[in-house]
Amino acid sequence: MIVAYGFANLLQSVAAARTTVHHTFDPGLLLRLASHRTYLVGLFCQVTGFVLAFLARRDLPLFLVQASVAAGLGVTAVLGVLVLKWRLPAAEVALLALLFGGITALVLAAQPAPSRQLGPAALIGLAAALGVIAIAGFFAARLHGAPGSVALGSLAGMAFSAAAVAARPLASADSVEAFVRNPLLYLLIAHSVVGQLLLGLAMQRGSTTAAVAAMDAAGAVPAAVIGLLLLNDRIWPGREWLAAVGFLVTLASVVGLTRYAEPQHHHAVARERERLMIGAGAAADRPAVRTPRATGPRQPAQAASTGLRRRTTRS
């Protein structure tokens, strides 16, 4: 699951950087992103991670699963080193070690248990949250730069957090019929689609650091709290401090890793854009090289097309 989300983060951010920036809450952005093969591969990785996370939520508390989803950024950093030749400074190595330690602490603190089912009031709350997030995203899409990345990334995290809350009791369905008829399934799908759109808009605003950090914080914290209060998430007795420390260390490590990964990611995208522009410029220059060779009858046409009159000489 962590590896799948790590691949998804890297590939989708690259595809979002190559797509025309949208300043409106336009679902058509998902279709434009889908035209990039890189995005489709990243989306496949994200769906794979989502399925694995969904199965994990059947018995594991949300504070562990959501922190593991956020930890996928550590895999993104390692992939950047191996594939895109990013540098791996000592501080980033330390952050990766802290990330591994935080996840280990959460694994040791989490007590597996089936979820408690949500009542009608909780279903209404999830539906209302979907409308609030969508309306807020409509206005946040007009923001530019880092503020837009933070606002849209936070809203994306809230949408994914609501999807995680819906997935925890849904994963305990005892039959396919009960699974399909459960309204949580459709709330899960709706929140996931809105979150995906908001994440794409956030990554286009130029600050992957702000987008990912805001998304991870807004996605992990509310789900963890709701899971402990409403969904029967449990911590082994006497290990509450270990869960708290592990959760905070994991989120802090993820935020730190985004600060190192963003400049290197932007440089990699800039190099590829420069390569494409140079190739396009060379193709555009080739016809221009042949035009001076035209002599004789074509010269008056050239003069007429430029609006200039040829100077005449007397012999």
Side-chain angles (χ1 to χ4, degrees):
M1 174 182 66
I2 297 177
V3 174
Y5 275 110
F7 274 96
N9 288 336
L10 182 64
L11 296 174
Q12 290 184 359
S13 63
V14 170
R18 296 174 181 171
T19 307
T20 304
V21 177
H22 280 58
H23 299 291
T24 59
F25 191 69
D26 182 10
L29 174 62
L30 295 179
L31 297 178
R32 294 178 179 88
L33 288 172
S35 65
H36 294 276
R37 188 175 303 175
T38 303
Y39 182 81
L40 291 177
V41 176
L43 184 61
F44 173 78
C45 293
Q46 184 172 355
V47 171
T48 302
F50 175 82
V51 172
L52 295 174
F54 180 83
L55 296 175
R57 292 185 184 105
R58 180 182 179 89
D59 295 309
L60 296 179
L62 289 180
F63 66 80
L64 172 58
V65 179
Q66 295 308 106
S68 299
V69 170
L73 191 65
V75 177
T76 303
V78 174
L79 289 174
V81 173
L82 297 177
V83 179
L84 300 179
K85 307 304 180 184
W86 290 355
R87 294 182 301 105
L88 192 64
E92 190 166 355
V93 175
L95 288 171
L96 287 172
L98 285 175
L99 182 62
F100 178 77
I103 293 297
T104 302
L106 289 174
V107 171
L108 295 175
Q111 182 180 5
S115 173
R116 184 183 298 118
Q117 294 300 312
L118 294 175
L123 295 178
I124 295 174
L126 286 173
L130 177 63
V132 171
I133 292 171
I135 293 173
F138 176 81
F139 293 102
R142 303 178 183 181
L143 298 176
H144 304 278
S149 294
V150 171
L152 292 166
S154 298
L155 291 171
M158 292 178 187
F160 289 134
S161 181
V165 171
R168 175 87 161 103
L170 180 63
S172 301
D174 52 5
S175 66
V176 176
E177 181 181 1
F179 179 84
V180 174
R181 296 179 61 182
N182 196 323
L184 288 173
L185 172 62
Y186 305 99
L187 287 170
L188 168 64
I189 295 173
H191 276 287
S192 298
V193 171
V194 170
Q196 193 67 25
L197 174 58
L198 291 168
L199 178 59
L201 291 169
M203 286 183 170
Q204 287 192 323
R205 293 304 184 274
S207 179
T208 305
T209 297
V212 174
M215 180 189 69
D216 288 334
V221 176
V225 173
I226 293 175
L228 290 170
L229 294 178
L230 301 178
L231 298 177
N232 197 38
D233 287 1
R234 297 180 182 179
I235 302 173
W236 289 108
R239 298 183 184 177
E240 291 81 4
W241 66 272
L242 187 61
V245 170
F247 191 79
L248 292 176
V249 167
T250 299
L251 285 184
S253 301
V254 167
V255 173
L257 285 171
T258 59
R259 294 184 62 84
Y260 282 98
E262 181 189 22
Q264 302 185 63
H265 167 69
H266 284 176
H267 290 329
V269 173
R271 284 195 300 269
E272 182 166 353
R273 282 181 176 174
E274 183 179 358
R275 179 180 63 81
L276 294 175
M277 291 175 65
I278 291 175
D285 289 340
R286 281 195 290 269
V289 173
R290 292 192 294 267
T291 52
R293 298 178 185 175
T295 58
R298 294 187 181 182
Q299 290 180 355
Q302 291 176 355
S305 64
T306 57
L308 298 177
R309 182 177 298 175
R310 295 178 59 205
R311 179 181 297 179
T312 59
T313 59
R314 295 181 181 179
S315 56

